[in-house]
């Protein structure tokens, strides 16, 4: 068990007025134990209690190390495993459950009166995971370093006639060759007018001179995600394309420069949005400025006009302003930013200069 992370979740549970929680999200359990199990349809859960009698419920099908650091309750497919859960839970207290818990497990526990009440305990996990510890920070640095190398290796493969789908497959292979253990998400690659869609899935569109090339991609390293977007231009760039690119890049830079502990996250969004709006492209910036990231590409917390939180040391989030002109082109520039104790650190280092690919 990652004791510092368990303690962080228990502190958050206390703030919610909860003494116990049942966690079924495999990624959240990995965060707390360091062991990733994908149980498919089978029940798998970690029970945390402020009394300290933590338990993990694991089907006998799964192999787990002896030194997991928590009492293991093993069961077969035919065992009454929910009875074992009910025996562990304090029925006099409310039980926190996570937002991922399947109804086929939750409803039987509800019907048998396993706990005094059932409460959404996910905020306790979400808030703990939003503050990365030293080990997580280093893994996210290394994941972004791999992403920088992957983008550098991809650039020479961008040539006339290549399709978006072909380039996406090439990038997947590059990640494997570099030693990434997976993808943060399937690569988003868009040429020309396709880039005016914020999330365009690669298709058979082929590259031609004058197209923008928007690449939004990331990999995982020991489970931790990277995410970066760069927009290049193939062989030529028009004055309008250059104007929009420099505007988006400036919005990215000004928002990043303002990142520090205590800054309201909505203020960061406002900095980028005001700059783009003053240039007349406000309606074309169609999404929030950024999202939190860690073991998942999109985690709890965002950088938007609706955000209520302030930046805290250990937060990692994207800064990714964009301008999308339907039927013409789109530009997005995205970095990952780690909030440090006295400022911030940009995790990826690929150039953001306006670049015309040969």
């Amino acid at each position: 068990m990652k004791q510092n992370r368990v303690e962080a979740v228990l502190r958050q549970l206390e703030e919610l007025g909860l003494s116990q929680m049942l966690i079924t999200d495999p990624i959240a359990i990995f965060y707390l134990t360091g062991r990733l199990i994908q149980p498919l349809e089978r029940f798998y859960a970690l029970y945390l209690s402020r009394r300290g009698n933590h338990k993990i419920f694991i089907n006998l099908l799964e192999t787990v190390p002896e030194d997991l650091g928590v009492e293991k309750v093993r069961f077969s497919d035919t065992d009454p495993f929910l009875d074992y859960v009910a025996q562990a839970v304090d029925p006099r207290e409310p039980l926190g459950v996570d937002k991922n818990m399947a109804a086929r497990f939750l409803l039987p526990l509800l019907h048998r009166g396993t706990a005094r009440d059932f409460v959404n305990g996910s905020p306790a996990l979400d808030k703990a995971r939003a503050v990365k510890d030293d080990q997580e920070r280093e893994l996210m640095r290394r994941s972004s370093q791999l992403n920088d190398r992957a983008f550098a290796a991809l650039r020479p493969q961008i040539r006339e006639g290549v399709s978006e789908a072909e380039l996406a497959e090439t990038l997947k292979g590059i990640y494997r060759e570099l030693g990434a253990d997976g993808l943060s998400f399937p690569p988003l690659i868009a040429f020309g007018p396709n880039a005016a869609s914020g999330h365009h899935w690669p298709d058979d569109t082929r590259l031609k001179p004058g197209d923008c090339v928007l690449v939004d991609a990331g990999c995982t390293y020991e489970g931790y995600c990277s995410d970066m977007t760069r927009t290049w231009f193939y062989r030529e760039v028009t004055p309008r394309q250059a104007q929009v690119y420099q505007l988006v890049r400036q919005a990215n830079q000004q928002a990043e420069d303002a990142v520090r502990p205590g800054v309201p996250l909505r203020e960061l969004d406002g900095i980028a949005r005001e700059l783009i709006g003053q240039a007349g492209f406000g309606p074309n910036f169609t999404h929030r400025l950024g999202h939190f990231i860690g073991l998942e590409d999109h985690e709890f917390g965002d950088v938007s006009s609706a955000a209520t939180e302030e930046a805290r040391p250990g937060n990692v989030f994207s800064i990714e302003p964009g301008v999308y002109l339907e039927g013409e082109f789109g530009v997005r520039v995205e970095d990952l930013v780690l909030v440090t104790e006295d400022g911030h650190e940009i995790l990826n280092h690929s150039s953001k200069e306006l670049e015309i690919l040969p």
Side-chain angles (χ1 to χ4, degrees):
M1 292 275 276
K2 305 283 187 179
Q3 198 57 40
N4 62 318
R5 300 177 191 176
V6 172
E7 292 298 328
V9 173
L10 292 175
R11 287 193 298 270
Q12 293 294 337
L13 282 175
E14 186 172 12
E15 289 192 16
L16 292 173
L18 294 171
S19 64
Q20 55 183 349
M21 182 173 182
L22 192 64
I23 302 165
T24 60
D25 176 10
I27 299 297
I29 297 174
F30 171 70
Y31 167 74
L32 293 168
T33 66
R35 179 72 177 184
L36 181 61
I37 291 174
Q38 295 291 357
L40 302 177
E41 79 279 5
R42 291 176 170 85
F43 184 75
Y44 174 52
L46 175 64
Y47 172 74
L48 294 184
S49 169
R50 282 167 40 207
R51 299 192 307 274
N53 55 327
H54 313 316
K55 292 179 174 61
I56 191 164
F57 300 86
I58 310 175
N59 192 285
L60 288 167
L61 182 70
E62 305 294 345
T63 301
V64 291
E66 288 299 318
D67 58 348
L68 199 56
V70 60
E71 180 185 346
K72 295 182 283 294
V73 179
R74 305 302 300 270
F75 56 89
S76 71
D77 287 344
T78 56
D79 286 335
F81 54 86
L82 291 180
D83 288 348
Y84 306 158
V85 175
Q87 291 164 13
V89 172
D90 186 340
R92 301 164 299 178
E93 296 289 334
L95 176 68
V97 295
D98 65 19
K99 55 182 178 264
N100 299 72
M101 190 168 183
R104 66 181 181 274
F105 304 132
L106 176 60
L107 292 176
L109 290 172
L110 274 168
H111 291 156
R112 73 179 62 194
T114 302
R116 195 184 76 198
D117 194 10
F118 286 73
V119 179
N120 178 17
S122 283
L125 274 166
D126 292 338
K127 290 182 178 181
R129 286 176 59 181
V131 178
K132 271 54 180 178
D133 59 30
D134 289 343
Q135 180 188 28
E136 292 180 290
R137 297 183 195 192
E138 183 57 28
L139 289 173
M140 295 205 69
R141 288 187 188 100
R142 296 184 70 176
S143 186
S144 282
Q145 288 166 5
L146 280 178
N147 211 23
D148 283 333
R149 292 171 59 193
F151 272 54
L154 180 70
R155 289 175 69 260
Q157 307 302 318
I158 301 173
R159 61 190 185 279
E160 187 169 354
V162 70
S163 74
E164 295 168 345
E166 289 168 348
L167 208 57
E169 289 303 312
T170 297
L171 183 55
K172 292 176 185 178
I174 290 170
Y175 284 132
R176 288 192 296 270
E177 291 170 6
L178 290 174
D181 52 47
L183 300 173
S184 302
F185 54 94
L188 301 174
I189 296 181
F191 299 157
N194 289 346
S197 172
H199 276 173
H200 170 76
W201 294 103
D203 60 24
D204 292 332
T205 300
R206 297 194 175 275
L207 184 64
K208 62 183 186 303
D211 280 345
C212 67
V213 179
L214 189 153
V215 179
D216 182 352
C219 62
T220 57
Y221 178 78
E222 294 190 18
Y224 282 83
C225 296
S226 53
D227 188 359
M228 178 169 64
T229 307
R230 291 292 182 264
T231 306
W232 303 302
F233 298 90
Y234 184 60
R235 290 195 181 171
E236 58 192 55
V237 61
T238 67
R240 181 169 168 84
Q241 288 172 332
Q243 175 201 9
V244 170
Y245 183 86
Q246 297 294 12
L247 174 65
V248 171
R249 183 191 170 198
Q250 185 180 5
N252 165 272
Q253 191 64 56
Q254 288 192 10
E256 288 178 358
D257 289 345
V259 175
R260 64 187 184 280
V263 66
L265 296 173
R266 64 178 179 275
E267 184 176 306
L268 301 176
D269 181 271
I271 289 169
R273 203 164 299 279
E274 181 178 6
L275 183 67
I276 290 173
Q278 287 176 346
F281 293 99
N284 307 104
F285 181 10
T286 53
H287 53 76
R288 62 188 176 183
L289 181 63
H291 57 84
F292 278 51
I293 184 171
L295 285 167
E296 296 173 281
D297 180 55
H298 284 215
E299 295 193 337
F300 171 81
D302 72 349
V303 185
S304 74
S305 60
T308 59
E309 301 287 330
E310 296 179 347
R312 298 178 59 193
N315 290 164
V316 181
F317 47 78
S318 64
I319 296 290
E320 50 178 304
V323 168
Y324 310 96
L325 302 174
E326 187 174 355
E328 297 184 58
F329 64 94
V331 172
R332 182 163 65 250
V333 177
E334 175 188 17
D335 295 317
L336 295 187
V337 182
L338 164 65
V339 184
T340 62
E341 280 61 31
D342 57 1
H344 69 270
E345 175 187 345
I346 308 299
L347 296 186
N348 46 282
H349 301 287
S350 294
S351 172
K352 294 183 284 187
E353 295 293 330
L354 174 63
E355 193 164 356
I356 304 173
L357 301 174

